[in-house]
Amino acid sequence: MCASNTGPKTPLIAVDAIIVKDDCVVLIKRKNPPFKDYYALPGGFVEIGEYVEEAVVREAREETGLEVQVERFSGIYDDPKRDPRGHVISIAYICRVTGGELRADSDAKDVNCVPMKEIKKVKLAFDHAKILEEAGIL
């Protein structure tokens, strides 16, 4: 995978939003492969010319209907094998809800606010269990 067919192959950059609301974590159910029907943190690829914090706010809105504000950086996840589509580096942020209405959109099949005590029972995509664990959620 690369951003351009003419340039060098480089990893893609993605973002993940850790949204905690009322003692639950907002998770989407993936509509498309990879990990179709698994739960995942809202997120996606950073667009050319976009700041990563803008990307996480945009992706959260597109996938969950929620307006969020970044509270703090959580971590960088760079395992070359974390995404079966190719080398994707993800930057995770803890976000606070500032508005909007919870609804599935974009590539999300469904969106749920999963109680923190139930998170270990759901199938999580990619390395999202690790991201939640390192954020102190799991």
Side-chain angles (χ1 to χ4, degrees):
M1 296 178 76
C2 66
S4 167
N5 288 336
T6 60
K9 289 186 176 190
T10 61
L12 296 175
I13 306 288
V15 289
D16 288 304
I18 303 166
I19 306 169
V20 177
K21 183 180 187 298
D22 303 325
D23 290 327
C24 64
V25 177
V26 175
L27 297 174
I28 63 158
K29 186 173 262 192
R30 290 185 53 83
K31 182 175 14 179
N32 302 309
F35 299 104
K36 181 179 177 182
D37 294 325
Y38 279 59
Y39 280 97
L41 294 166
F45 294 106
V46 177
E47 296 176 357
I48 300 295
E50 185 176 42
Y51 290 100
V52 292
E53 287 190 11
E54 291 172 349
V56 78
V57 168
R58 175 184 53 77
E59 286 289 347
R61 182 179 57 251
E62 288 176 359
E63 293 188 348
T64 70
L66 297 174
E67 296 294 330
V68 300
Q69 180 177 1
V70 171
E71 286 199 329
R72 65 181 171 87
F73 167 79
S74 183
I76 296 176
Y77 299 87
D78 62 351
D79 182 340
K81 295 181 174 124
R82 66 179 297 277
D83 189 322
R85 297 170 292 188
H87 191 176
V88 177
I89 296 169
S90 186
I91 304 167
Y93 291 94
I94 296 176
C95 300
R96 177 174 51 87
V97 176
T98 59
E101 186 176 317
L102 193 63
R103 61 175 166 65
D105 204 355
S106 179
D107 64 345
K109 182 177 188 175
D110 196 9
V111 63
N112 289 295
C113 204
V114 179
M116 287 193 201
K117 62 185 177 191
E118 302 291 321
I119 297 242
K120 290 185 178 183
K121 297 178 184 176
V122 300
K123 295 188 306 186
L124 291 171
F126 308 102
D127 55 357
H128 291 185
K130 178 181 180 179
I131 293 171
L132 288 171
E133 184 178 319
E134 290 184 2
I137 307 296
L138 284 180

